[in-house]
Amino acid sequence: DTEVTQTPKHLVMGMTNKKSLKCEQHMGHRAMYWYKQKAKKPPELMFVYSYEKLSINESVPSRFSPECPNSSLLNLHLHALQPEDSALYLCASSQESGVNSYEQYFGPGTRLTVT
Amino acid sequence: DAKTTQPPSMDCAEGRAANLPCNHSTISGNEYVYWYRQIHSQGPQYIIHGLKNNETNEMASLIITEDRKSSTLILPHATLRDTAVYYCIVRVEAGNQFYFGTGTSLTVIP
């Protein structure tokens, strides 16, 4: 099983709402990632989790709050978002790479629209 | 972090080889070059990666120059399903971060 699943596929939320994006993998990967992708732009790294601990936060605003409850799950909690946060949110996972080379497996993404 | 430069778009005739170039002139000694592609609104798909030597798998070949400042992804017999945005990425040494470049939009023409 080389699949990363993400739910929901689409999400529309108001600026005062609280919602969560969910990502799951069962490949035994210990590194998980959130990316944000605006239309016609490349994915931008947001967060990296390594062994369920946050290892990298790319200066993401606090209205995005990641959580890794176990090695298979990654959540992204959303609160008080702005319309400019509308984007495709991608989750990925990989083996814990260190100095070795391991590819990242991406999920299909959640299309988020903030109204 | 090493950055990558790619042409914004390319066309290729169906059945011909597609050669996609990438410049990564600031790459460090232990940084890997990865290639991914993204078909419209789907998640990026891994293609191939390499460090110094040329690599080949069932999808593509990766040619890395001796000085490692550039590379070329080769799709040997392009099909219409290869139409996608192709990203050349340099993975940070001893880290998990991928920083995507702007990518090349490849259109395979019948």
Side-chain angles (χ1 to χ4, degrees):
Chain A
D1 180 9
T2 58
E3 188 179 25
V4 176
T5 59
Q6 291 188 244
T7 55
K9 294 182 86 170
H10 302 275
L11 178 63
V12 179
M13 61 185 290
M15 290 188 285
T16 58
N17 291 159
K18 285 185 181 181
K19 297 286 185 182
S20 296
L21 309 184
K22 179 180 173 181
C23 173
E24 193 166 5
Q25 58 86 16
H26 296 287
M27 294 178 277
H29 291 168
R30 304 309 297 271
M32 296 186 76
Y33 314 79
W34 281 114
Y35 291 83
K36 173 182 176 179
Q37 186 174 26
K38 302 282 282 184
K40 300 189 185 301
K41 297 291 187 183
E44 296 178 4
L45 183 65
M46 300 175 71
F47 301 105
V48 180
Y49 271 83
S50 177
Y51 289 96
E52 295 134 63
K53 292 193 185 326
L54 182 65
S55 61
I56 293 169
N57 176 342
E58 292 284 349
S59 302
V60 179
S62 61
R63 57 185 184 269
F64 295 91
S65 176
E67 178 197 21
C68 190
N70 62 56
S71 59
S72 300
L73 284 175
L74 185 66
N75 298 320
L76 187 62
H77 303 296
L78 314 172
H79 174 55
L81 294 193
Q82 303 296 311
E84 58 265 30
D85 296 322
S86 299
L88 180 69
Y89 288 84
L90 293 160
C91 174
S93 72
S94 73
Q95 298 187 46
E96 177 54 44
S97 56
V99 297
N100 297 316
S101 62
Y102 293 113
E103 60 267 32
Q104 292 186 12
Y105 292 85
F106 283 81
T110 293
R111 177 73 60 188
L112 174 67
T113 303
V114 181
T115 61
Chain B
D1 302 330
K3 297 292 189 284
T4 62
T5 305
Q6 299 176 253
S9 64
M10 294 179 64
D11 292 338
C12 178
E14 188 178 16
R16 302 297 293 270
N19 296 277
L20 292 91
C22 179
N23 287 321
H24 30 78
S25 58
T26 60
I27 194 169
S28 298
N30 291 322
E31 290 180 326
Y32 285 81
V33 178
Y34 284 73
W35 282 83
Y36 277 73
R37 71 181 183 186
Q38 187 173 26
I39 297 169
H40 181 63
S41 291
Q42 296 182 19
Q45 176 190 22
Y46 167 78
I47 302 173
I48 199 166
H49 73 278
L51 181 63
K52 297 177 183 176
N53 300 320
N54 298 338
E55 303 286 346
T56 296
N57 63 21
E58 65 278 5
M59 289 183 69
S61 295
L62 174 61
I63 309 297
I64 302 174
T65 57
E66 192 169 344
D67 63 7
R68 302 207 329 119
K69 293 184 184 301
S70 66
S71 60
T72 300
L73 178 74
I74 301 171
L75 308 178
H77 305 287
T79 71
L80 299 179
R81 288 178 294 180
D82 293 323
T83 293
V85 177
Y86 287 76
Y87 292 105
C88 171
I89 301 160
V90 172
R91 186 176 74 89
V92 173
E93 180 180 355
N96 290 328
Q97 301 99 297
F98 276 15
Y99 294 105
F100 284 72
T102 51
T104 295
S105 178
L106 175 70
T107 301
V108 179
I109 302 167

